[in-house]
Amino acid sequence: LLSTVRCRSLIPPALLDGILAALTPHNLHLTLSPVPDERLADPEYTPKMLRSWACDGLLINYNAEIPARLEEMVAKAAMPTVWINSKHEANCVYPDDFGAARALTERLLAAGHRRIAYANYMAPNRVPAMHYSAVERHEGYAAAMRAAGLAPRRLDRDRVLERDERVSHSLDWLRAPDAPAAV
C-alpha cells in the first residue's frame, strides 16, 4: 500500500528488488496499490486489498504524514502487516538514522574536523517532522558533537528550501567567516 504523494512512499529500486527476490522462491507475488490520501480519509472508502483480503499480508510503504484512518483500517483488517521505513510500536522496519548520523559525525571528528554543521534542506527542523529521520539524523549528529564537547550547528531553515534557494543559501554559509569544515 502506497501513497500517491511520492515523498511519502519512496521505493528505492534495491528495496523493490529485495522484496521480489524474497517472494519469488515462495511462489508469491507483489501487488502495488497507490491510494490518494483523501480516499484514506473518507470513512466510506476501504482499499480493495483490505476489504476483500485479496492478499496474504500487507507491506505499507507510507512513511510520512500517515493519515490516522489508515492505521485504524489496518488494525480492523487484522491482516499480517509490516510498515516500511516508518516507526511504530511493532511490525515495522526502518533504518537507524540516529546511529548512522552519530557514526558519520564521529568519523568526521576522528578525521580532525571540529566545525561540523548539519543541513537538511528537504526536512527542516520542525515538529511534527515530515518523517522521523528528519529529527533522528539531527539528534544523532548533535549527540556526537556534544559528546566531543562541541556545539551542534544547523544550517537549514524552518521550512523546506526550494531548489532555486538552496544554492544561494549554501553559498551564504560557505562564504561566512565561520564556515563549517564538514557538513
Side-chain angles (χ1 to χ4, degrees), residues 11-158:
I11 303 179
L15 173 62
L16 187 56
D17 290 347
I19 292 169
L20 294 171
L23 293 174
T24 302
H26 302 285
N27 199 28
L28 297 172
H29 67 277
L30 177 68
T31 301
L32 297 175
S33 181
V35 180
D37 296 355
E38 53 276 3
R39 296 288 310 265
L40 291 172
D42 179 353
E44 301 298 315
Y45 176 77
T46 302
K48 181 179 181 180
M49 64 177 55
L50 296 177
R51 189 174 59 243
S52 66
W53 278 74
C55 55
D56 297 316
L58 188 60
L59 299 175
I60 302 178
N61 188 358
Y62 207 114
N63 54 45
E65 299 178 4
I66 301 167
R69 189 158 177 285
L70 173 58
E71 296 191 58
E72 292 169 19
M73 283 190 295
V74 169
K76 284 181 186 174
M79 177 184 297
T81 301
V82 176
W83 293 83
I84 299 171
N85 198 16
S86 180
K87 289 183 93 171
H88 297 266
E89 299 236 349
N91 303 325
C92 58
V93 293
Y94 53 88
D96 178 6
D97 288 287
F98 177 92
R102 183 178 183 131
L104 176 60
T105 306
E106 288 169 348
R107 190 170 182 168
L108 290 169
L109 290 162
H113 297 286
R114 293 293 174 261
R115 292 186 335 269
I116 305 168
Y118 179 89
N120 184 347
Y121 295 171
M122 291 301 298
N125 186 21
R126 66 181 172 109
V127 175
M130 183 173 185
H131 187 258
Y132 78 91
S133 64
V135 172
E136 290 197 3
R137 289 174 185 166
H138 176 260
E139 288 177 357
Y141 151 79
M145 292 294 284
R146 285 191 294 272
L150 300 169
R153 179 178 173 196
R154 288 194 79 119
L155 300 175
D156 46 354
R157 300 264 177 94
D158 60 354

